[in-house]
Amino acid sequence: MTAPSLFDTNKRRKAELPAATGPASGLFASIVFDRPLDTEYTYAIPTDLVAKIGVGKRVEAPFGKGGKTTIGFCVRVTDQVPTTSFEIKSLVRVVDEDAIIDDHLMKLTRWIADYYLCGWGQVLHAVVPAGVRENAGTRVAAFVEPVAKDKLPNPLPSVSPQQKAALDKLKKEGRPLEILQLARIAKCTTGIISGLVKKGLLRKFSERIETDAAKPDTDGEVPVPSAPIELNGDQLRVWEQIRAALHSEGGYKPFLLHGVTGSGKTEVYLRAIEETVKQGKEAIVLVPEISLTPQTLARFSGRCGNVAVLHSHLTDAERGGYWRRVATGHVQVVVGARSAVFAPTRKLGLIVIDEEHENSFKQEATPRYHARDVAVMRARLEGIPILMGSATPSLESWSNAARGNYTLLSMPNRVESRPMPAVKIIDLRNEPKPSGKHFAIGSTLEAAMRDTLKAKGQIILLLNRRGFSTHVHCQACGHVAQCTNCDLALTFHRSKAALVCHFCGFETAPFQKCPSCTQPGMRYQGIGTEKLHTEIEEKFPGYVTQRMDSDTMSKPGSHQRVLDAFRDGLVHILVGTQMIAKGLDFPNVTLVGVVNADVGLHLPDFRSAERTFQILAQVAGRAGRGDKGGNVLVQTFTPEHPCITLAANHDYVTFAGQELSHRKEHQYPPFHRMARLIVRSEKEEAAAQFAETLANAFNEATKRALGANPTPTNANPVRILGPAECPVFRLNNFYRFHFQVQSADSGVLHSVLRDVLAIAKPPSGVEFQVDIDPFSML
């Protein structure tokens, strides 16, 4: 039978499959698969699986035209006989002994599938780590235990001295032992133990256990307990409201904590987590991946009991081990990036989101969820408080607080009454051109760096572009070196001696002559962190400079080694991309320099000004955290831009007000909900034709949404922009067209999308993606 579309308007309808042989129990299971289908498939439960089946367990079932055995998730068990002319196939096997998804996560994943327009099975598959799905870090071991007295054979069989010694050793242990372990303790062969099993004196059974591979490597580090810090007035005022929510019976309570950099937000998080753990509950803490620094994690481990840390460097076995320990209640606090929002806690009492504005909380692959929004929904479903903190909250969260959906908590001052760092804007249009072949650092910034180093201070320099030269072109014909797979300029990486595409990973050797006109003299222009590092070493010999970007921080432990050296004063200048802009607290940093504040400001993205303000405010906050104070120098070609001037004044409230006014005028989030649809194909014409098909379907769906007689109250409920070529038209050999669909009503937006995508079927060789609340507009 033909599988129904994900976007059928009759949501969550069930599908039946032709019959299979086997005894039935009269019970039926609804199964979803890792497919882009919003369909629950009904299967009969064989009698021998009745005791094993359950919601949240994986099963094997025949699926598709060939009836191939496929793993899916059981989402419902019922004794109601389906009304269908088809006979029902039977389940083949139940994969899991225990449910790996509990009722809370079942409800949450159902909401994700509905809101983000993807298959429920796709969401469930993504929620469960590969290490859990594949039982990584576990093995099946054979155990033995003494047979109960009332079940011993009569008369008792005779045993050899070796068998008696093994039996006595096992009884002395008072617990089941692995056969190999007992043989080692009793100093006998496994054959001796097998003989005891055959004589009915020992019971043999199998059990899945964890291996050493499932235990994360902590490099021998032991968390050092730390005492709570005495709260200041701002912290106390905020903490009292949070503590009241933790002790109330009211349940769901969302807080937005707006605290300037250095205001002590982390201490408030720790107090809330400690209070939650005291109540016998668990907490989930979401932080951006780049903020998972050893410095941050040590604070949680030292204060919050058993902490599970989920990050990208974990192996499947380690991640699976953490999941199992959380699910069995052996972990009180889960700290991790966006996927930690799905931690299988048994009694969740609090969710904390640090740097809630961070783009990395948005997943760019199916399911395209935003961890912050999923966390808010999880808190709502489980009836618990959620605390979201940032010095530069997202405009969506700020708007929610303004409308009363969140409780706004404010911490406008730094701890110990330390002043915010003084910020000076340097207009690069009027800055004298530096001497020499490098010119990333202007004369004003260079002089400030020399003064800082002379005073024994440390320096952080931000440049959010990696590589050596960001573009390469021919001086004769103007040809620009581009990726063969993408409409993107290649970046020269000197350490690799290669031109690299930062999207698809394509690499090629540097050109000796122009591939277009064959003339020599290719010019390498633009500045990345690698070139900046070189310039600093040439201008500041005798001082140690380290670079932190995804090129240098790819190995486990590299992040920690550099930060430890910087903390110990062994590194004087730290250069990096946005990974150095947040989460770092070094009192001796007295100068922060932004090499080019315009990076990312002029992209075709309605969030570009917001992102620029956020990164400038965050990196400026690294300065002045100690008694020496600090200064920030911002180099820019657009010093008059509001996001730069207001960031220099540490004035988030004014920036938010101006930017929200601009968004409202142009019907952008948070005032209108948005979806982005991307049509892509390796054939440009095929992608263009299907984009036009979608455009026609949108026109018809919009007319239906308006109704037969539009009135001023329901006119233009949906705004459609497109189809148009994506700003980056070709990526990874796919030609791409996109739509923006906007509406003030989320329900109307989803209704139109489901209506369109139920009837618009892409032809072979054409794909489309649906992204609700998109963050990437390129």
Side-chain angles (χ1 to χ4, degrees), residues 313 549-559 579:
H313 292 306
D549 54 30
S550 58
D551 296 320
T552 59
M553 297 291 109
S554 58
K555 295 180 180 179
S558 53
H559 198 276
M579 66 172 58

Side-chain angles (χ1 to χ4, degrees), residues 452-767:
T452 299
L453 293 171
K454 189 181 298 183
K456 308 297 183 183
Q458 290 174 291
I459 301 168
I460 289 178
L461 293 181
L462 169 73
L463 177 59
N464 207 21
R465 282 287 182 271
R466 59 192 179 94
F468 193 86
S469 299
T470 54
H471 65 277
V472 179
H473 74 272
C474 174
Q475 297 182 79
C477 72
H479 173 80
V480 176
Q482 281 200 317
C483 176
T484 60
N485 306 318
C486 310
D487 287 343
L488 292 171
L490 294 172
T491 299
F492 174 60
H493 286 249
R494 192 167 72 170
S495 60
K496 292 182 177 181
L499 296 170
V500 180
C501 175
H502 286 172
F503 181 82
C504 73
F506 169 80
E507 292 188 17
T508 187
F511 301 132
Q512 300 301 317
K513 58 184 179 180
C514 177
S516 178
C517 69
T518 70
Q519 294 295 312
M522 297 296 288
R523 188 167 184 178
Y524 290 72
Q525 290 190 309
I527 301 165
T529 49
E530 191 179 17
K531 183 183 286 187
L532 176 61
H533 189 180
T534 301
E535 178 176 348
I536 293 169
E537 289 184 329
E538 290 181 2
K539 290 183 175 180
F540 298 92
Y543 293 98
V544 179
T545 302
Q546 284 283 3
R547 175 163 58 100
M548 287 184 67
D549 54 30
S550 58
D551 296 320
T552 59
M553 297 291 109
S554 58
K555 295 180 180 179
S558 53
H559 198 276
Q560 181 174 356
R561 285 190 292 272
V562 171
L563 292 181
D564 285 347
F566 193 60
R567 184 182 299 107
D568 295 339
L570 303 176
V571 173
H572 306 102
I573 304 170
L574 187 62
V575 177
T577 55
Q578 62 177 337
M579 66 172 58
I580 66 170
K582 59 203 70 176
L584 305 183
D585 188 355
F586 298 110
N588 197 42
V589 172
T590 56
L591 177 65
V592 168
V594 179
V595 176
N596 186 356
D598 306 328
V599 172
L601 178 57
H602 305 296
L603 295 175
D605 186 334
F606 70 93
R607 287 193 176 92
S608 61
E610 180 184 8
R611 288 172 178 160
T612 299
F613 179 94
Q614 288 167 343
I615 195 168
L616 291 179
Q618 293 285 342
V619 75
R622 301 313 104 201
R625 288 175 170 252
D627 296 333
K628 295 181 179 180
N631 294 285
V632 181
L633 298 184
V634 178
Q635 298 187 149
T636 175
F637 287 98
T638 54
E640 69 285 348
H641 198 288
C643 75
I644 293 177
T645 58
L646 292 171
N649 291 328
H650 309 290
D651 191 354
Y652 170 81
V653 175
T654 300
F655 170 78
Q658 292 182 3
E659 187 67 11
L660 284 171
S661 177
H662 178 75
R663 299 268 186 96
K664 187 174 184 179
E665 178 184 354
H666 294 282
Q667 299 181 9
Y668 277 108
F671 300 99
H672 279 61
R673 293 298 179 92
M674 177 187 289
R676 186 183 187 220
L677 280 72
I678 296 178
V679 176
R680 67 176 200 163
S681 174
E682 292 182 340
K683 297 180 179 178
E684 180 179 351
E685 185 178 353
Q689 287 177 352
F690 183 64
E692 287 300 324
T693 300
L694 272 182
N696 294 332
F698 270 120
N699 289 334
E700 294 301 317
T702 303
K703 291 177 183 177
R704 287 191 289 273
L706 277 168
N709 298 299
T711 66
T713 58
N714 70 348
N716 299 321
V718 179
R719 179 190 186 198
I720 311 289
L721 299 178
E725 293 182 2
C726 293
V728 182
F729 183 38
R730 190 169 59 101
L731 274 182
N732 217 5
N733 275 328
F734 283 91
Y735 295 92
R736 310 183 312 141
F737 295 84
H738 68 154
F739 294 82
Q740 279 181 209
V741 187
Q742 296 163 231
S743 176
D745 188 321
S746 177
V748 171
L749 178 69
H750 280 73
S751 176
V752 168
L753 287 170
R754 287 183 180 277
D755 193 7
V756 168
L757 299 176
I759 60 174
K761 309 295 183 185
S764 177
V766 177
E767 303 172 1

Side-chain angles (χ1 to χ4, degrees), residues 256 356 372-373 388 393-402 406 670:
L256 177 62
E356 66 83 30
R372 179 197 62 223
D373 299 336
M388 298 165 278
S394 67
L395 293 181
E396 287 82 0
S397 294
W398 190 254
S399 179
N400 269 320
Y406 298 165

Side-chain angles (χ1 to χ4, degrees), residues 245-296:
L246 291 171
H247 285 277
S248 72
E249 298 295 330
Y252 171 66
K253 186 73 174 177
F255 293 100
L256 177 62
L257 175 57
H258 176 217
V260 298
T261 55
S263 60
K265 294 186 293 294
T266 303
E267 181 61 29
V268 174
Y269 301 154
L270 290 168
R271 291 286 180 105
I273 295 165
E274 286 177 318
E275 194 71 23
T276 301
V277 173
K278 286 178 185 176
Q279 297 175 9
K281 301 176 183 178
E282 294 120 17
I284 293 175
V285 184
L286 301 183
V287 298
E289 178 76 32
I290 58 175
S291 294
L292 282 170
T293 63
Q295 186 180 24
T296 300

